[in-house]
Structure formats: C-alpha cells, structure tokens
C-alpha cells in the first residue's frame, strides 16, 4: 500500500486548490520564519511545539473531510504533514512575527562572552566563503549568532559579543544588532 490510495470520487477542485494554496503559503511563511528565528532569542522547543501541535489535533478531526475534498484516500501521515506545513507554519509565523514586529522600542545593550566559535558554508556559488558564527550563553539559553564572511578575522580574535536587544511582544528578546570585540 502506498501513501495515497485509489480515487474515491472526483473531489472538489476549488477546495483542493485552496488547500494546496494554503499549504504553499505555509511553506513560504515557514521560510520567512527561519529569518525571524535568527533575530529572536527563544528556546527552539517553543517554535517546534507551535509548529507541530496543530497537526496532532487537526489530522483526526479533518481526515475524512480532506479525503473527500481531493477525492483520494491519503495516509494519515500525509494529512499530518499537510496540517503542520500549513496551519502550524501560519500559526508559528504569526507568533514569531508579532513578537518581532510589535517589540518594545526601548533598546538595551548587553555584553556576553563567546563560548564557542565555528563557521557554516556560504551561499550557493560562495561555499568557500564560510560564514563565521559564535555561540553565547544568553541568560541560560545558548544562542548562535552568524556574521558575514568579511568579519572572519574579527571573529577569530574576539572574546565577547555586544548585543542591542529589544523586549519582544511575547517577552522573547529580539536582536537589533550585534558585534564581536
């Protein structure tokens, strides 16, 4: 047996297209959310829970309805992935974006010691231009800060990182800017 079984009806093409559009929107917002995550100081468990939990509840509730929409009998794993990548991603983006874009205007400067250094490959076509990163202990939470390739020499000799942060709408600090020294 495969993940998608036989077609049971012709289905509803309009609702089917709406579901695929909702799924695509969720994936786009999920990619955008990754950039927001890099600017937010938050334990990774919180975004993962917000992203995955809607699929747990929506899959059994909407399983039969979604099978009737597209006219195919899909495996429950496909339904879970669909709910996670659509509803879960949209809820996660709403949470993270509101924390970032509705953050307090008051900026606070902080300094932390670097506990780890490393580098990741650069973008396509520039893989050899590795992006340096540092890891700091931000009030009990390890946070990775990625710098540009041009700052590699500075990062290699740096011992501390100066941060400018704002308090996010949901209480999670938002990185305004950071520099190594």
């Amino acid at each position: 047996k495969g993940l998608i079984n036989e077609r049971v009806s012709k289905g509803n093409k309009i609702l089917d297209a709406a579901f695929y559009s909702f799924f695509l929107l969720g994936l786009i917002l999920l990619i955008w959310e990754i950039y927001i995550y890099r600017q937010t100081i938050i334990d990774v468990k919180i975004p993962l829970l917000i992203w995955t939990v809607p699929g747990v509840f929506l899959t059994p509730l909407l399983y039969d309805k979604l099978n009737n929409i597209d006219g195919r009998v899909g495996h429950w794993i496909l339904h879970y992935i669909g709910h996670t990548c659509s509803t879960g991603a949209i809820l996660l983006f709403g949470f993270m974006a509101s924390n970032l874009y509705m953050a307090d205007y008051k900026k606070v400067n902080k300094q932390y010691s670097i506990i780890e250094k490393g580098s990741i490959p650069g973008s396509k076509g520039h893989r050899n231009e590795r992006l340096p990163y540092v890891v700091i202990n931000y009030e009990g939470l390890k946070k990775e800060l990625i710098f540009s390739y041009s700052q590699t020499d500075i990062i290699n000799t740096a011992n501390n990182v100066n941060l400018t942060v704002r308090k996010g709408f949901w209480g999670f600090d938002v990185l305004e800017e950071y520099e190594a020294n």
Side-chain angles (χ1 to χ4, degrees):
K1 275 192 161 186
L3 291 176
I4 299 176
N5 294 333
E6 74 282 350
R7 186 172 285 277
V8 292
S9 72
K10 292 186 179 186
N12 186 327
K13 292 184 190 280
I14 294 172
L15 287 177
D16 196 29
F19 177 75
Y20 285 118
S21 299
F22 195 58
F23 181 81
L24 185 60
L25 173 66
L27 290 179
I28 291 167
L29 293 179
L30 188 61
I31 293 167
W32 189 355
E33 192 281 327
I34 292 169
Y35 294 104
I36 294 174
Y37 174 77
R38 286 185 175 179
Q39 293 178 271
T40 307
I41 300 172
I42 185 171
D43 188 359
V44 71
K45 294 173 194 165
I46 295 168
L48 283 177
L49 280 173
I50 294 171
W51 183 48
T52 58
V53 167
V56 172
F57 292 107
L58 292 175
T59 299
L61 288 174
L62 300 176
Y63 181 78
D64 289 332
K65 290 181 187 196
L66 287 178
N67 282 337
N68 290 334
I69 287 173
D70 69 2
R72 293 180 287 247
V73 178
H75 196 279
W76 67 269
I77 291 174
L78 290 178
H79 287 265
Y80 176 75
I81 291 169
H83 293 301
T84 300
C85 292
S86 57
T87 308
I90 291 169
L91 290 174
L92 176 60
F93 177 79
F95 174 77
M96 296 293 284
S98 62
N99 187 70
L100 174 67
Y101 297 120
M102 298 169 66
D104 189 15
Y105 290 107
K106 182 182 173 192
K107 296 178 183 178
V108 178
N109 294 318
K110 299 180 178 186
Q111 184 176 39
Y112 292 93
S113 297
I114 297 172
I115 58 175
E116 184 182 329
K117 296 179 185 178
S119 64
I120 59 174
S123 61
K124 186 176 179 180
H126 300 279
R127 298 283 185 221
N128 59 334
E129 296 177 1
R130 298 185 63 83
L131 303 174
Y133 71 84
V134 300
V135 177
I136 60 170
N137 184 349
Y138 187 91
E139 300 171 11
L141 180 68
K142 286 186 176 182
K143 180 64 179 173
E144 184 179 272
L145 305 172
I146 300 172
F147 293 84
S148 67
Y149 173 72
S150 63
Q151 294 178 306
T152 301
D153 293 335
I154 296 169
I155 300 304
N156 288 338
T157 61
N159 295 318
N160 298 306
V161 176
N162 295 326
L163 306 175
T164 302
V165 297
R166 297 184 298 147
K167 184 63 74 179
F169 182 76
W170 298 109
F172 300 102
D173 287 348
V174 174
L175 289 169
E176 195 65 26
E177 57 187 46
Y178 52 91
E179 64 180 21
N181 60 13

